[in-house]
Amino acid sequence: MSIHAFTSESYSEHDRTEAWQDVLGGFGLRSSPLSARYGEHATALSRASLDGVGLMRFAAGPQVFSPLPRRADLPILLMPAEDGAVLKAGGSPQTIPSGRIILLPRQNDWRVTFHRDMRAIVLSVTAESFGGRKINLPECRDAVIVAPEGLADVLGRTLESASEALEKLSPEAWNTIRLSLAEMLLTLSRQKSSSAAEAVGIGTQPALLQRIYDAIERKLGDSDITPARIAQIEGISERYLQKLFEGSGDNFTHYLRERRLQRCWADLGNAGEAHRSVSDIAFSCGFSDAAHFSRSFRDRFGLSPRAFRQQQAERLSGLGVKAGQRGWPQDAIAQLRPHRAAPMIAAAELEPADLAPRSRDKPAHHHLPIDANHVHWGFFSRELKPLIEIASGDTITVETLSQHASDDPERMILGDEGAESVFRWTAQGKGVERRGAGPMDASIYGRGAGEGFGVHICTGPIAIKGAEPGDVLEVRILDMVPRPSRNPALKGRIFGSSVAAWWGYHYDEFLTEPKPRESVTIFEIFPGEEPHAEAIYSYRWQPQTDPSGVLHQTYDYPGIPVAAETIRRRHGVLDGIRIPLRPHFGVIGVAPREAGLVDSVPPAYFGGNLDNWRLGKGAAVYLPVSVPEALLSIGDPHAAQGDGELSGTAIECSMTGTFEVVLHKKADHAGQPFADLTYPLIETETDWVLTGFSHPNYLAEFGAKGQSEVYAKSSLDLAMKDAFRKVRRFLMNTRGLSEDEAIALISAAVDFGVTQVVDGNWGVHATLSKRLFANQTTR
Amino acid sequence: MKHHLLPVSPSNVQWGYFSKKIAPALTLKSGDRATIETLTHHANDDHERMIAGDPGAESVFRWTKEHKAIARRGAGPTEGPFIRGSGEGVGVHLLTGPVAIENAEPGDILEVRILDVRPRPSCNACHAGRCFGSNAAASWGFHYHDLIEEPKPREVITIFELDTSGEPYAKAVYNYRWTPQTDPDGIVHPTIDYPGVPVDHRLVQKRENILQNVRVPARLHFGTMGLAPAESDFVSSIPPGYTGGNIDDWRAGKGARMYYPVAVPGALFSVGDPHAAQGDSELGGTAIETSLTGDFEFILHKNRDLGGTIMEGLTHPMLETDQQWSMYGFTFPNYLAELGANAQTDIVNHSSLDKAMRDAFRKLRRFLMTVHHMSEDEAIALMSVAADFGVTQVVDANWGVHGSIRKNVFMCT
């Protein structure tokens, strides 16, 4: 009996596919690529006993499963957690609804195709799993999708809960569960076996249903298709047809819509169909109303048909497909270009200076001042139009604002033209309307446009010329200076704010009344010798009515101007305490590869809200580029923060940074510390700091639900595992150590610390001192 | 003030447990100092380098078919038949002590100052004067079920040499995979499941030239220091708890002060598990385990005198260095009380950093509120902007997170 946790993050790029095949092989499965994205990520947790019961839950990228030929045994059970997998076994393809059990014979010819990121549960039981009892193997020739009724329903639920609890089950509990699982699978496969069907004479039903499926497939483009017409074709009554569908756990209308959407999905992603318009494709699949189609498609797949098509095109263009090979032809991409979706925010036009041709011999210096048109607030998106394009090696000065400046507008906004433009908010509207990745109409909570699902004011994005997915972007902080108050009465002084907020680690366990409460502390920053911060006053958050008239009981939306008369300032707080400064940027990130808007709060592979105070002057972060031109954004400036960022914020203080940005093309990575980089890597003068997260790629791991699941499922234990795997990989790949050497070294010399426990995707970082290798001359 | 000497010998060490029931090896007064020798329980990973010729070490590790100098190793059963050996390896550290402090009573705090730490050089003529240590990537390591290279799973011993000629550092000498070892009593140890099993070097394959050109900066410290708990007569030395024990924080080296709540009369301090270097987390299960000798000063703070000091309200171990104070959070702050009768074996199933973080947060908040008289809001604000939380260890069953606050934050009080 053993519990095995697998993640592709442990392996170097070359070894990932093989390692994943090994894991699948244990369950009689084999995987083949669906696209070049294959092997990008996979995580799995499995538990197996020696007698042959294995249960695994996993998440992975698009791919095709087929059987690893084995001797006859009980069928493999697969249960996808998301819609859209397609089973092909002999006849026409069947889509597999989420949560449905599929029984897959170990030898026959079948394929299960996952077109998108997927999560699923797999159960493997062998004839030896029954405590020595001899069993007659049910004859399972065909792969079947089982309707969720009776035993299948019970088994499905058991699998779900058992796979969730896999790590926590005691050996005894696991023993009981694995026996039950084996028995249930045996009974279910007997019920569904070919011999049983023939014996009781119901073999005609599946055959008939199969013919109906085929008929539907042929008529998919016919927008007038009805159950009556299909029934007529097959010479049965409409009622019987409906009954057959019910028996399969589906209904005609749903099945038909699903098949149509799936076919559109395939066509939209197919390079060969690139010349056809979206509505053309919709029409050919039986949708008569383009708007209705667009809505249904978005409901089903989470993005519009157009956005999906663009995503596919860009994904492939980023892969550098060579002419003459299979896949997307170059000319199709060219045709798609004019159809690019409109930028999501109206960004300023490129500055004239940047359009002027200049010598590439010398690095240029750029300046990105703060302004409502130069920021995106609370989200990242690959669809944002860049403000400026710079070349590798250029330097750029970027002004950033703390989203907490509005905690004391008099000190941190007033008189500051740039800050005023960003924070402008009157009854008529805002300088920056969208704040967060939520809906613009605030239809979820009514907090405001974007719903505050993401809070950071990010300056950018900055396009890096020639950057492509697979490259690494080095962002080095040459200088950082705080942004002094422009209020004439306070001119030149520097202020910051720290909020003990409802998302803080402490929030559900206050000792003193009132419980709970939010508290804001305003600090003054003294950057001179022995740079430090001192608290000026604090106040408890009081319900604030924003200029649009929305009442905010808690700090639930960024940039709400706090009205001085609504709060009571307490002076003399943190008396005699001087907080040593650690100026750094909380947020440095490139655009994630996933489409749509991504909440700025949880950090992940693309960087973002790292909240690591080591990322200050002199330090650099290496980020894996995921989209063309990288799209770099910077924000969330901090004057000081502790490891943990316990209350939810640091001393948030507007700052201006000067950065050197260097693009490392994929071809030049060999032998570099950032070779095979799939996460943000921080370099300081003395250390390498590797960033581990609860869920290193939560957007892929959880699929469409990622942006909420990551908040629910964060844990330091998971983040610690991730940090360990990353530092092991780093030592093995970039230092050429064996696994044994790497582990000995980690134990003796690598320090693991808590980065933050407040950003949804909790972080643990591993600090590796450069001194360890000071003696190495090679490598 | 008196200066005492406590060398290692079978009568001055206990192996694998803390106990309020054993007679003190030394009794001293508050303010006294003592030089205490400690041995690593991993010395038998390379007997030739770490034991041979060293009378103290030889006397403690002596184990033949006829004679086992220290029979009991661990808090487990001492009546056979044994699965692994007497004490069953429920606790593994060789601890020197206990040292009783006159007049110490439950409720008091014992402050232990580490004045100096020195490595114990090899006495073997071939290696005389050189210092060695052993690192085991063991079955209780964080990595053990998450290995990527074959064979899986496996345990690996890496022998290091400590170079103290300049800025001290450790360098790997060779490594080997653990193979089943038969102890002198005939019990086979397929994994590292019992401390002090002599490794037969004919049964292992040494690999040289490992970790080439890698120098691990030394951090000499004691992994295990603590007082006897009150809850049980014999308490495994592995999980740290409210009286200290196997905290495994590398900051507990020269110049550091540790504060422990006294749980039994006389306090009964023991020290062992000496380390030449360790990272925060001790990921593989052990540090570079190296025999060390320390100079300690003991100061007893009576319960009535604690008010207004940094020890006011202290119910857990606390570290003070020149730069900072650290509070030790654990999965269970007092696992012996919280988990009941089977606590010492049960604790392994509950390890969690998340709980340890929660505990560290609470302890640091209490420290700031009680000792520094902050309001709760001030304490939380300060922790967010100036306190650092780190992973102490993820291998000692009762996992640890330490919360540290720098002293210079308070400079102008």
Side-chain angles (χ1 to χ4, degrees), chain B residues 57-98:
Chain B
E58 282 183 338
S59 74
V60 168
F61 278 92
R62 179 162 300 127
W63 187 359
T64 60
K65 203 168 162 49
E66 293 72 35
H67 180 64
K68 186 179 178 189
I70 300 177
R72 177 175 203 154
R73 302 180 184 185
T78 49
E79 299 287 318
F82 299 115
I83 301 166
R84 296 182 284 267
S86 177
E88 292 291 7
V90 181
V92 297
H93 308 96
L94 264 171
L95 300 176
T96 310

Side-chain angles (χ1 to χ4, degrees), chain B residues 11 86 94 115 145 148 167 173 196 202 210 324 354 364 374 383 412:
Chain B
S11 55
S86 177
L94 264 171
L115 306 175
H145 296 289
I148 54 180
E167 182 83 353
V173 184
R202 291 166 305 184
I210 52 156
Q324 66 187 48
D354 286 298
L364 190 54
M374 292 185 183
M383 275 193 275
C412 48

